């Protein structure tokens, strides 16, 4: 059974090399004692340059090599063989299950940096947050039983 979920950058959750999210989402993350994550309070500005306090920058340093590159659909750039684009991503579930559970609460996939996965429990809390915050644009989708990471963009 696949427990992880994938996340998408949003207005209250941004992925720009690091993760920026409001304090409610940061509090949900921190409750799960994320392995190798750092939380930094910041203020950001919106489109009208109004300062929005109570945001956090989250540095996710937990990176796990767990993609199934045989199953995944990959485009290799003809002139730059070491550059690839992953069109559809599958996880190596056996490899991922070998990783201790505490390291799977929040992590990035080594082969597809920028793809953040969270545990089932954390994903469920984020879904509860979404149910109470209709204006949130956070996207949380479960990984399929076969290990396919959902397309979020």
């Amino acid at each position: 059974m696949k427990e992880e979920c994938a996340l998408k950058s949003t207005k209250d959750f941004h992925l720009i090399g690091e993760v920026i999210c409001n304090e409610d989402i940061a509090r949900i993350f921190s409750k799960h004692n994320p392995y190798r994550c750092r939380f930094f309070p910041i203020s950001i500005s919106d489109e009208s340059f109004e300062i929005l306090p109570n945001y956090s920058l989250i540095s996710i340093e937990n990176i796990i090599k767990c993609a199934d590159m045989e199953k995944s659909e990959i485009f290799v750039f003809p002139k730059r063989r070491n550059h690839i684009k992953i069109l559809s991503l599958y996880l190596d579930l056996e490899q991922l299950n070998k990783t201790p559970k505490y390291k799977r609460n929040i992590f990035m996939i080594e082969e597809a940096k920028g793809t953040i996965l969270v545990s089932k429990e954390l994903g469920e809390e984020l879904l509860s947050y979404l149910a109470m915050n209709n204006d949130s644009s956070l996207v949380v989708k479960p990984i399929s039983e076969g290990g396919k990471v959902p397309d979020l963009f």
Side-chain angles (χ1 to χ4, degrees), residues 104-123:
R104 291 186 280 145
N105 279 331
I106 302 171
F107 66 94
M108 286 184 166
I109 299 172
E110 183 175 313
E111 300 88 345
K113 289 186 177 82
T115 302
I116 300 172
L117 298 185
V118 298
S119 66
K120 179 180 178 182
E121 297 80 13
L122 179 51

Side-chain angles (χ1 to χ4, degrees), residues 11-66:
K11 69 179 181 179
D12 50 356
F13 177 88
H14 307 275
L15 177 58
I16 52 172
E18 304 289 348
V19 173
I20 297 174
C21 60
N22 68 19
E23 67 182 0
D24 294 331
I25 295 172
R27 194 174 305 116
I28 293 169
F29 276 16
S30 64
K31 273 182 22 182
H32 288 268
N33 192 22
Y35 174 74
R36 296 192 67 181
C37 284
R38 296 179 185 195
F39 295 80
F40 304 97
I42 63 168
S43 294
I44 61 172
S45 59
D46 63 11
E47 299 86 25
S48 64
F49 301 104
E50 181 181 335
I51 299 295
L52 304 172
N54 303 323
Y55 276 77
S56 290
L57 181 136
I58 303 174
S59 176
I60 300 174
E61 299 171 4
N62 185 22
I63 300 171
I64 299 174
K65 186 173 182 157
C66 60

Side-chain angles (χ1 to χ4, degrees), residues 1-6 71 88-93 96-97 117-118 140-152:
M1 178 169 67
K2 192 68 209 125
E3 294 189 352
E4 283 72 22
C5 298
K71 241 177 154 177
S88 66
L89 178 64
Y90 283 82
L91 300 178
D92 180 340
L93 299 178
L96 189 58
N97 286 330
L117 298 185
V118 298
V140 180
K141 291 185 177 179
I143 303 297
S144 75
E145 289 293 320
K148 183 170 185 335
V149 177
D151 297 328
L152 297 176

Side-chain angles (χ1 to χ4, degrees), residues 78-95:
K79 294 182 181 179
R80 300 176 81 188
R81 296 239 181 255
N82 59 343
H83 284 64
I84 63 169
K85 180 176 182 174
I86 299 174
L87 304 173
S88 66
L89 178 64
Y90 283 82
L91 300 178
D92 180 340
L93 299 178
E94 274 188 43
Q95 180 63 35

